[in-house]
Amino acid sequence: MKNRLKVLRAERGWSQQDLAERLGVSRQSVNAIETGKYDPSLPLAFRIADLFDLAIEAIFLREDAADI
């Protein structure tokens, strides 16, 4: 799953640690999500969307979305 988390975080001038603290997760988790090594749980995806005041689908994109 692709995502825009790194771009959104950078637009706000937040470090990975800043974002991790806002979400209540580890910096390593933020890094893993940003690099696509880990897909967040649905509750965490909602927390991320709420934090950025965006819909989940504005942040996360399925790899095969172009095929749909």
Side-chain angles (χ1 to χ4, degrees):
M1 180 168 39
K2 294 180 180 180
N3 69 75
R4 299 179 48 227
L5 194 57
K6 184 175 182 176
V7 172
L8 294 168
R9 176 178 59 76
E11 287 175 352
R12 285 154 180 82
W14 296 344
S15 68
Q16 287 184 341
Q17 185 64 41
D18 294 333
L19 179 57
E21 290 173 6
R22 285 175 165 83
L23 294 172
V25 300
S26 69
R27 185 200 59 77
Q28 290 83 1
S29 293
V30 170
N31 182 61
I33 294 168
E34 285 186 356
T35 58
K37 295 177 183 170
Y38 169 74
D39 291 334
S41 65
L42 189 55
L44 179 55
F46 273 111
R47 289 203 319 265
I48 293 169
D50 288 346
L51 181 63
F52 290 105
D53 198 26
L54 293 169
I56 288 177
E57 59 269 24
I59 301 172
F60 298 98
L61 183 65
R62 291 174 18 176
E63 295 282 340
D64 61 349
D67 298 336
I68 298 175

